[in-house]
Amino acid sequence: MILSVLLIGTVFFFFLSCRKTDPETKTEFIFGTTCSITLYSEYSQDTFTQVFSRVREIENKMSVTIESSEVSEINRMAGVNAVTVTSETFNLITTALGIAEETEGALDITVGPLVSEWGIGSENAHVPPKHKIEKLLEHVDYRKVVLDADNQTVFLPEKGMRIDLGAIAKGYAGDQAVMFLRKSGVKSGIIDFGGNIIVFGTKQTKEPWKVGIQQPDSNRGSYFGILGLAEGAVVSSGTYERYFMKDGIRFHHIIDPSTGFPVRNNVDSVTIVAGSGTSADGYSTAVFVLGLERGIQFVENKTDLEAVFVTNEKNVYLTKGLKDSFTQTKAEYPIASFE
Ligand code: AMP
Ligand code: MG
């Protein structure tokens, strides 16, 4: 009996620690979405367990829906006290405020009060009365966040202020997953956190990775085009992610910090290609708010970013750096240009 338990235990342990060389995908529900990781070689079952627990650790620090998170504590202490946080939370907030500065507040993590009032994606989703939105907007301004780098504290100086890292945390978690996997010796893989994609390493065939870009009017998994890339992140922000319909209007989850309403422009989705998931995620939300003309101009001025825009007329606009790596796969989504 003992021998058979030992034997099973040994076989089980061998199975767990054995490093595999064929691809495998595992999925967990984190950040309110499905998070999948595909590993190609030099990994074991332990690798999956450990990498997902690293991702959960980040969720537990940064999610606003987790009461014990550092971000929830910052929000609870708004108008009361500065809150000491871990360096990764402090650094990600610093990065987000930097993108806010660069995009003149298109990305603004202090939209928290509006995000929770609109409740998009939750059972409470509704159109708030205009006076309420105006009241909440008084507390939305990324320039008010007080950071103290020496003591690693974050302070929201007004009661009613609230930060939300939903626009950037998944991208950061993806980067951290890749960093963990590389350190564990994994040679290549794909991170897909709710459609935020990061590819790393080289495929066995040595061909570039091919990443499908989500069709904004369709279920997850339908693509209007494919991007070939060596390594890096491909992240989309769109009206299709979380929304509700009322009176024929789509109220989606990206809030324009200057109006307090879901962004209304002619863009259905923006996909950013960048070296890191943090950048791709942060800028995808920001550039969506900027809209087509300002957004393309912004991305063209940044050497480390490229973008694909889809308008509500299904026209596709590409930044110059993507002209050779993008392949159109649906006739209804033609490539357009300003020229
Ligand atoms: P993403 O899907 O990355 O574009 O992020 C959208 C999420 O970020 C929303 O669900 C909100 O939690 C939050 N958010 C919405 N609008 C903004 C904004 N203008 N700036 C920063 N975060 C936002
Ligand atoms: Mg984003």
Side-chain angles (χ1 to χ4, degrees), residues 183-213:
K183 267 196 205 141
S184 332
V186 178
K187 297 281 180 279
S188 59
I190 305 172
I191 305 293
D192 178 350
F193 290 175
N196 288 17
I197 311 285
I198 308 177
V199 288
F200 69 96
T202 320
K203 279 209 296 192
Q204 273 140 334
T205 56
K206 308 274 188 251
E207 287 165 8
W209 297 96
K210 290 193 173 76
V211 179
I213 306 191

PDB file of all heavy atoms in Angstrom, residues 183-213:
ATOM      1  N   LYS A 183      12.826  33.676 -16.969  1.00  0.00           N
ATOM      2  CA  LYS A 183      13.728  33.328 -15.858  1.00  0.00           C
ATOM      3  C   LYS A 183      13.666  31.840 -15.555  1.00  0.00           C
ATOM      4  O   LYS A 183      14.641  31.238 -15.130  1.00  0.00           O
ATOM      5  CB  LYS A 183      13.330  34.101 -14.591  1.00  0.00           C
ATOM      6  CG  LYS A 183      14.080  35.397 -14.436  1.00  0.00           C
ATOM      7  CD  LYS A 183      13.941  35.889 -13.005  1.00  0.00           C
ATOM      8  CE  LYS A 183      14.121  37.392 -12.967  1.00  0.00           C
ATOM      9  NZ  LYS A 183      13.214  38.051 -12.020  1.00  0.00           N
ATOM     10  N   SER A 184      12.483  31.242 -15.756  1.00  0.00           N
ATOM     11  CA  SER A 184      12.349  29.799 -15.484  1.00  0.00           C
ATOM     12  C   SER A 184      12.882  28.949 -16.622  1.00  0.00           C
ATOM     13  O   SER A 184      12.743  27.733 -16.586  1.00  0.00           O
ATOM     14  CB  SER A 184      10.900  29.386 -15.252  1.00  0.00           C
ATOM     15  OG  SER A 184      10.143  30.378 -14.751  1.00  0.00           O
ATOM     16  N   GLY A 185      13.391  29.585 -17.658  1.00  0.00           N
ATOM     17  CA  GLY A 185      14.018  28.812 -18.732  1.00  0.00           C
ATOM     18  C   GLY A 185      13.109  28.507 -19.911  1.00  0.00           C
ATOM     19  O   GLY A 185      13.503  27.808 -20.838  1.00  0.00           O
ATOM     20  N   VAL A 186      11.865  29.019 -19.866  1.00  0.00           N
ATOM     21  CA  VAL A 186      10.957  28.774 -20.999  1.00  0.00           C
ATOM     22  C   VAL A 186      11.453  29.588 -22.195  1.00  0.00           C
ATOM     23  O   VAL A 186      11.766  30.766 -22.070  1.00  0.00           O
ATOM     24  CB  VAL A 186       9.509  29.184 -20.646  1.00  0.00           C
ATOM     25  CG1 VAL A 186       8.582  28.965 -21.839  1.00  0.00           C
ATOM     26  CG2 VAL A 186       9.021  28.413 -19.435  1.00  0.00           C
ATOM     27  N   LYS A 187      11.514  28.925 -23.338  1.00  0.00           N
ATOM     28  CA  LYS A 187      12.122  29.593 -24.496  1.00  0.00           C
ATOM     29  C   LYS A 187      11.130  30.432 -25.297  1.00  0.00           C
ATOM     30  O   LYS A 187      11.486  31.454 -25.868  1.00  0.00           O
ATOM     31  CB  LYS A 187      12.753  28.543 -25.432  1.00  0.00           C
ATOM     32  CG  LYS A 187      13.898  27.768 -24.796  1.00  0.00           C
ATOM     33  CD  LYS A 187      15.173  28.603 -24.806  1.00  0.00           C
ATOM     34  CE  LYS A 187      16.343  27.876 -24.180  1.00  0.00           C
ATOM     35  NZ  LYS A 187      16.361  27.920 -22.729  1.00  0.00           N
ATOM     36  N   SER A 188       9.876  29.958 -25.389  1.00  0.00           N
ATOM     37  CA  SER A 188       8.924  30.744 -26.177  1.00  0.00           C
ATOM     38  C   SER A 188       7.492  30.466 -25.749  1.00  0.00           C
ATOM     39  O   SER A 188       7.194  29.394 -25.200  1.00  0.00           O
ATOM     40  CB  SER A 188       9.095  30.451 -27.674  1.00  0.00           C
ATOM     41  OG  SER A 188       8.891  29.085 -27.912  1.00  0.00           O
ATOM     42  N   GLY A 189       6.623  31.449 -26.014  1.00  0.00           N
ATOM     43  CA  GLY A 189       5.230  31.272 -25.620  1.00  0.00           C
ATOM     44  C   GLY A 189       4.358  32.443 -26.009  1.00  0.00           C
ATOM     45  O   GLY A 189       4.823  33.437 -26.580  1.00  0.00           O
ATOM     46  N   ILE A 190       3.074  32.268 -25.710  1.00  0.00           N
ATOM     47  CA  ILE A 190       2.085  33.320 -26.006  1.00  0.00           C
ATOM     48  C   ILE A 190       1.282  33.588 -24.741  1.00  0.00           C
ATOM     49  O   ILE A 190       0.770  32.659 -24.117  1.00  0.00           O
ATOM     50  CB  ILE A 190       1.076  32.858 -27.095  1.00  0.00           C
ATOM     51  CG1 ILE A 190       1.795  32.393 -28.351  1.00  0.00           C
ATOM     52  CG2 ILE A 190       0.074  33.971 -27.408  1.00  0.00           C
ATOM     53  CD1 ILE A 190       0.862  31.756 -29.371  1.00  0.00           C
ATOM     54  N   ILE A 191       1.183  34.876 -24.408  1.00  0.00           N
ATOM     55  CA  ILE A 191       0.327  35.288 -23.300  1.00  0.00           C
ATOM     56  C   ILE A 191      -0.914  35.890 -23.943  1.00  0.00           C
ATOM     57  O   ILE A 191      -0.798  36.725 -24.855  1.00  0.00           O
ATOM     58  CB  ILE A 191       1.031  36.411 -22.486  1.00  0.00           C
ATOM     59  CG1 ILE A 191       2.423  35.992 -22.015  1.00  0.00           C
ATOM     60  CG2 ILE A 191       0.163  36.915 -21.344  1.00  0.00           C
ATOM     61  CD1 ILE A 191       2.458  34.901 -21.017  1.00  0.00           C
ATOM     62  N   ASP A 192      -2.082  35.487 -23.493  1.00  0.00           N
ATOM     63  CA  ASP A 192      -3.322  36.086 -24.002  1.00  0.00           C
ATOM     64  C   ASP A 192      -4.216  36.366 -22.803  1.00  0.00           C
ATOM     65  O   ASP A 192      -4.918  35.484 -22.319  1.00  0.00           O
ATOM     66  CB  ASP A 192      -3.997  35.114 -24.986  1.00  0.00           C
ATOM     67  CG  ASP A 192      -5.331  35.669 -25.501  1.00  0.00           C
ATOM     68  OD1 ASP A 192      -5.810  36.688 -24.971  1.00  0.00           O
ATOM     69  OD2 ASP A 192      -5.881  35.068 -26.435  1.00  0.00           O
ATOM     70  N   PHE A 193      -4.141  37.602 -22.306  1.00  0.00           N
ATOM     71  CA  PHE A 193      -4.944  37.976 -21.148  1.00  0.00           C
ATOM     72  C   PHE A 193      -6.129  38.789 -21.654  1.00  0.00           C
ATOM     73  O   PHE A 193      -6.022  40.002 -21.882  1.00  0.00           O
ATOM     74  CB  PHE A 193      -4.122  38.795 -20.138  1.00  0.00           C
ATOM     75  CG  PHE A 193      -3.056  37.984 -19.421  1.00  0.00           C
ATOM     76  CD1 PHE A 193      -2.158  38.607 -18.557  1.00  0.00           C
ATOM     77  CD2 PHE A 193      -2.964  36.603 -19.583  1.00  0.00           C
ATOM     78  CE1 PHE A 193      -1.187  37.865 -17.879  1.00  0.00           C
ATOM     79  CE2 PHE A 193      -1.992  35.859 -18.912  1.00  0.00           C
ATOM     80  CZ  PHE A 193      -1.105  36.493 -18.065  1.00  0.00           C
ATOM     81  N   GLY A 194      -7.223  38.110 -21.893  1.00  0.00           N
ATOM     82  CA  GLY A 194      -8.430  38.783 -22.371  1.00  0.00           C
ATOM     83  C   GLY A 194      -8.196  39.525 -23.673  1.00  0.00           C
ATOM     84  O   GLY A 194      -8.706  40.629 -23.858  1.00  0.00           O
ATOM     85  N   GLY A 195      -7.419  38.932 -24.571  1.00  0.00           N
ATOM     86  CA  GLY A 195      -7.173  39.578 -25.867  1.00  0.00           C
ATOM     87  C   GLY A 195      -5.927  40.462 -25.885  1.00  0.00           C
ATOM     88  O   GLY A 195      -5.561  40.978 -26.933  1.00  0.00           O
ATOM     89  N   ASN A 196      -5.307  40.667 -24.734  1.00  0.00           N
ATOM     90  CA  ASN A 196      -4.007  41.365 -24.690  1.00  0.00           C
ATOM     91  C   ASN A 196      -2.933  40.314 -24.971  1.00  0.00           C
ATOM     92  O   ASN A 196      -2.725  39.423 -24.158  1.00  0.00           O
ATOM     93  CB  ASN A 196      -3.726  41.937 -23.293  1.00  0.00           C
ATOM     94  CG  ASN A 196      -4.574  43.134 -22.960  1.00  0.00           C
ATOM     95  OD1 ASN A 196      -5.579  43.382 -23.610  1.00  0.00           O
ATOM     96  ND2 ASN A 196      -4.175  43.881 -21.949  1.00  0.00           N
ATOM     97  N   ILE A 197      -2.283  40.441 -26.116  1.00  0.00           N
ATOM     98  CA  ILE A 197      -1.358  39.379 -26.528  1.00  0.00           C
ATOM     99  C   ILE A 197       0.101  39.817 -26.351  1.00  0.00           C
ATOM    100  O   ILE A 197       0.450  40.939 -26.735  1.00  0.00           O
ATOM    101  CB  ILE A 197      -1.552  39.035 -28.030  1.00  0.00           C
ATOM    102  CG1 ILE A 197      -3.034  38.820 -28.371  1.00  0.00           C
ATOM    103  CG2 ILE A 197      -0.683  37.851 -28.440  1.00  0.00           C
ATOM    104  CD1 ILE A 197      -3.636  37.542 -27.916  1.00  0.00           C
ATOM    105  N   ILE A 198       0.910  38.922 -25.813  1.00  0.00           N
ATOM    106  CA  ILE A 198       2.362  39.133 -25.847  1.00  0.00           C
ATOM    107  C   ILE A 198       2.980  37.832 -26.365  1.00  0.00           C
ATOM    108  O   ILE A 198       2.624  36.748 -25.890  1.00  0.00           O
ATOM    109  CB  ILE A 198       2.974  39.442 -24.469  1.00  0.00           C
ATOM    110  CG1 ILE A 198       2.229  40.592 -23.775  1.00  0.00           C
ATOM    111  CG2 ILE A 198       4.460  39.803 -24.597  1.00  0.00           C
ATOM    112  CD1 ILE A 198       2.743  40.907 -22.367  1.00  0.00           C
ATOM    113  N   VAL A 199       3.851  37.945 -27.366  1.00  0.00           N
ATOM    114  CA  VAL A 199       4.554  36.746 -27.844  1.00  0.00           C
ATOM    115  C   VAL A 199       6.037  36.924 -27.504  1.00  0.00           C
ATOM    116  O   VAL A 199       6.570  38.022 -27.602  1.00  0.00           O
ATOM    117  CB  VAL A 199       4.362  36.534 -29.366  1.00  0.00           C
ATOM    118  CG1 VAL A 199       2.943  36.083 -29.649  1.00  0.00           C
ATOM    119  CG2 VAL A 199       4.679  37.785 -30.178  1.00  0.00           C
ATOM    120  N   PHE A 200       6.663  35.839 -27.082  1.00  0.00           N
ATOM    121  CA  PHE A 200       8.088  35.946 -26.746  1.00  0.00           C
ATOM    122  C   PHE A 200       8.844  34.723 -27.236  1.00  0.00           C
ATOM    123  O   PHE A 200       8.276  33.638 -27.378  1.00  0.00           O
ATOM    124  CB  PHE A 200       8.300  36.161 -25.234  1.00  0.00           C
ATOM    125  CG  PHE A 200       7.959  34.977 -24.387  1.00  0.00           C
ATOM    126  CD1 PHE A 200       8.940  34.085 -23.969  1.00  0.00           C
ATOM    127  CD2 PHE A 200       6.655  34.746 -23.990  1.00  0.00           C
ATOM    128  CE1 PHE A 200       8.630  32.981 -23.171  1.00  0.00           C
ATOM    129  CE2 PHE A 200       6.329  33.643 -23.207  1.00  0.00           C
ATOM    130  CZ  PHE A 200       7.313  32.771 -22.799  1.00  0.00           C
ATOM    131  N   GLY A 201      10.131  34.914 -27.501  1.00  0.00           N
ATOM    132  CA  GLY A 201      10.969  33.828 -28.003  1.00  0.00           C
ATOM    133  C   GLY A 201      10.714  33.583 -29.484  1.00  0.00           C
ATOM    134  O   GLY A 201       9.997  34.341 -30.138  1.00  0.00           O
ATOM    135  N   THR A 202      11.312  32.514 -29.985  1.00  0.00           N
ATOM    136  CA  THR A 202      11.182  32.221 -31.414  1.00  0.00           C
ATOM    137  C   THR A 202      10.388  30.938 -31.579  1.00  0.00           C
ATOM    138  O   THR A 202      10.581  29.986 -30.822  1.00  0.00           O
ATOM    139  CB  THR A 202      12.585  31.997 -32.032  1.00  0.00           C
ATOM    140  OG1 THR A 202      13.461  32.958 -31.456  1.00  0.00           O
ATOM    141  CG2 THR A 202      12.571  32.160 -33.525  1.00  0.00           C
ATOM    142  N   LYS A 203       9.498  30.930 -32.548  1.00  0.00           N
ATOM    143  CA  LYS A 203       8.720  29.713 -32.809  1.00  0.00           C
ATOM    144  C   LYS A 203       9.656  28.616 -33.322  1.00  0.00           C
ATOM    145  O   LYS A 203      10.671  28.911 -33.953  1.00  0.00           O
ATOM    146  CB  LYS A 203       7.653  29.998 -33.866  1.00  0.00           C
ATOM    147  CG  LYS A 203       6.439  30.661 -33.265  1.00  0.00           C
ATOM    148  CD  LYS A 203       5.163  30.339 -34.017  1.00  0.00           C
ATOM    149  CE  LYS A 203       5.143  30.837 -35.419  1.00  0.00           C
ATOM    150  NZ  LYS A 203       3.828  30.760 -36.040  1.00  0.00           N
ATOM    151  N   GLN A 204       9.264  27.351 -33.100  1.00  0.00           N
ATOM    152  CA  GLN A 204      10.124  26.247 -33.563  1.00  0.00           C
ATOM    153  C   GLN A 204      10.395  26.337 -35.065  1.00  0.00           C
ATOM    154  O   GLN A 204      11.469  26.024 -35.540  1.00  0.00           O
ATOM    155  CB  GLN A 204       9.478  24.893 -33.228  1.00  0.00           C
ATOM    156  CG  GLN A 204       9.846  24.422 -31.837  1.00  0.00           C
ATOM    157  CD  GLN A 204       8.657  23.789 -31.121  1.00  0.00           C
ATOM    158  OE1 GLN A 204       7.501  24.095 -31.413  1.00  0.00           O
ATOM    159  NE2 GLN A 204       8.933  22.912 -30.193  1.00  0.00           N
ATOM    160  N   THR A 205       9.396  26.821 -35.818  1.00  0.00           N
ATOM    161  CA  THR A 205       9.540  26.924 -37.274  1.00  0.00           C
ATOM    162  C   THR A 205      10.399  28.129 -37.690  1.00  0.00           C
ATOM    163  O   THR A 205      10.672  28.310 -38.870  1.00  0.00           O
ATOM    164  CB  THR A 205       8.162  27.092 -37.919  1.00  0.00           C
ATOM    165  OG1 THR A 205       7.557  28.236 -37.322  1.00  0.00           O
ATOM    166  CG2 THR A 205       7.290  25.882 -37.731  1.00  0.00           C
ATOM    167  N   LYS A 206      10.748  28.974 -36.712  1.00  0.00           N
ATOM    168  CA  LYS A 206      11.533  30.200 -36.927  1.00  0.00           C
ATOM    169  C   LYS A 206      10.758  31.277 -37.701  1.00  0.00           C
ATOM    170  O   LYS A 206      11.301  32.313 -38.049  1.00  0.00           O
ATOM    171  CB  LYS A 206      12.865  29.928 -37.675  1.00  0.00           C
ATOM    172  CG  LYS A 206      13.721  28.847 -37.061  1.00  0.00           C
ATOM    173  CD  LYS A 206      14.614  29.398 -35.963  1.00  0.00           C
ATOM    174  CE  LYS A 206      15.607  28.377 -35.478  1.00  0.00           C
ATOM    175  NZ  LYS A 206      15.322  27.875 -34.135  1.00  0.00           N
ATOM    176  N   GLU A 207       9.492  31.000 -38.009  1.00  0.00           N
ATOM    177  CA  GLU A 207       8.690  32.022 -38.704  1.00  0.00           C
ATOM    178  C   GLU A 207       8.262  33.092 -37.703  1.00  0.00           C
ATOM    179  O   GLU A 207       8.230  32.831 -36.510  1.00  0.00           O
ATOM    180  CB  GLU A 207       7.412  31.387 -39.253  1.00  0.00           C
ATOM    181  CG  GLU A 207       7.626  30.515 -40.442  1.00  0.00           C
ATOM    182  CD  GLU A 207       6.399  29.642 -40.698  1.00  0.00           C
ATOM    183  OE1 GLU A 207       5.359  29.847 -40.042  1.00  0.00           O
ATOM    184  OE2 GLU A 207       6.523  28.764 -41.549  1.00  0.00           O
ATOM    185  N   PRO A 208       7.861  34.280 -38.214  1.00  0.00           N
ATOM    186  CA  PRO A 208       7.344  35.277 -37.275  1.00  0.00           C
ATOM    187  C   PRO A 208       6.037  34.783 -36.643  1.00  0.00           C
ATOM    188  O   PRO A 208       5.337  33.953 -37.224  1.00  0.00           O
ATOM    189  CB  PRO A 208       7.056  36.505 -38.154  1.00  0.00           C
ATOM    190  CG  PRO A 208       7.517  36.187 -39.519  1.00  0.00           C
ATOM    191  CD  PRO A 208       7.862  34.740 -39.603  1.00  0.00           C
ATOM    192  N   TRP A 209       5.725  35.310 -35.460  1.00  0.00           N
ATOM    193  CA  TRP A 209       4.433  35.019 -34.841  1.00  0.00           C
ATOM    194  C   TRP A 209       3.354  35.692 -35.683  1.00  0.00           C
ATOM    195  O   TRP A 209       3.600  36.757 -36.261  1.00  0.00           O
ATOM    196  CB  TRP A 209       4.370  35.598 -33.433  1.00  0.00           C
ATOM    197  CG  TRP A 209       5.360  35.021 -32.477  1.00  0.00           C
ATOM    198  CD1 TRP A 209       6.574  35.555 -32.158  1.00  0.00           C
ATOM    199  CD2 TRP A 209       5.229  33.829 -31.706  1.00  0.00           C
ATOM    200  NE1 TRP A 209       7.205  34.767 -31.233  1.00  0.00           N
ATOM    201  CE2 TRP A 209       6.394  33.697 -30.936  1.00  0.00           C
ATOM    202  CE3 TRP A 209       4.225  32.863 -31.579  1.00  0.00           C
ATOM    203  CZ2 TRP A 209       6.601  32.643 -30.058  1.00  0.00           C
ATOM    204  CZ3 TRP A 209       4.432  31.807 -30.704  1.00  0.00           C
ATOM    205  CH2 TRP A 209       5.603  31.702 -29.953  1.00  0.00           C
ATOM    206  N   LYS A 210       2.181  35.096 -35.700  1.00  0.00           N
ATOM    207  CA  LYS A 210       1.053  35.710 -36.405  1.00  0.00           C
ATOM    208  C   LYS A 210      -0.042  35.977 -35.385  1.00  0.00           C
ATOM    209  O   LYS A 210      -0.509  35.047 -34.730  1.00  0.00           O
ATOM    210  CB  LYS A 210       0.524  34.775 -37.484  1.00  0.00           C
ATOM    211  CG  LYS A 210       1.480  34.609 -38.651  1.00  0.00           C
ATOM    212  CD  LYS A 210       0.765  33.939 -39.808  1.00  0.00           C
ATOM    213  CE  LYS A 210       1.618  33.894 -41.042  1.00  0.00           C
ATOM    214  NZ  LYS A 210       2.656  32.850 -40.960  1.00  0.00           N
ATOM    215  N   VAL A 211      -0.415  37.238 -35.255  1.00  0.00           N
ATOM    216  CA  VAL A 211      -1.439  37.594 -34.269  1.00  0.00           C
ATOM    217  C   VAL A 211      -2.658  38.140 -34.994  1.00  0.00           C
ATOM    218  O   VAL A 211      -2.562  39.118 -35.747  1.00  0.00           O
ATOM    219  CB  VAL A 211      -0.888  38.644 -33.268  1.00  0.00           C
ATOM    220  CG1 VAL A 211      -1.958  39.036 -32.264  1.00  0.00           C
ATOM    221  CG2 VAL A 211       0.345  38.109 -32.550  1.00  0.00           C
ATOM    222  N   GLY A 212      -3.799  37.498 -34.784  1.00  0.00           N
ATOM    223  CA  GLY A 212      -5.057  37.954 -35.391  1.00  0.00           C
ATOM    224  C   GLY A 212      -5.566  39.185 -34.671  1.00  0.00           C
ATOM    225  O   GLY A 212      -5.445  39.290 -33.453  1.00  0.00           O
ATOM    226  N   ILE A 213      -6.137  40.132 -35.417  1.00  0.00           N
ATOM    227  CA  ILE A 213      -6.698  41.324 -34.768  1.00  0.00           C
ATOM    228  C   ILE A 213      -8.222  41.237 -34.780  1.00  0.00           C
ATOM    229  O   ILE A 213      -8.853  41.061 -35.824  1.00  0.00           O
ATOM    230  CB  ILE A 213      -6.197  42.615 -35.436  1.00  0.00           C
ATOM    231  CG1 ILE A 213      -4.669  42.572 -35.439  1.00  0.00           C
ATOM    232  CG2 ILE A 213      -6.695  43.836 -34.663  1.00  0.00           C
ATOM    233  CD1 ILE A 213      -4.030  43.836 -35.816  1.00  0.00           C
TER     234      ILE A 213
END
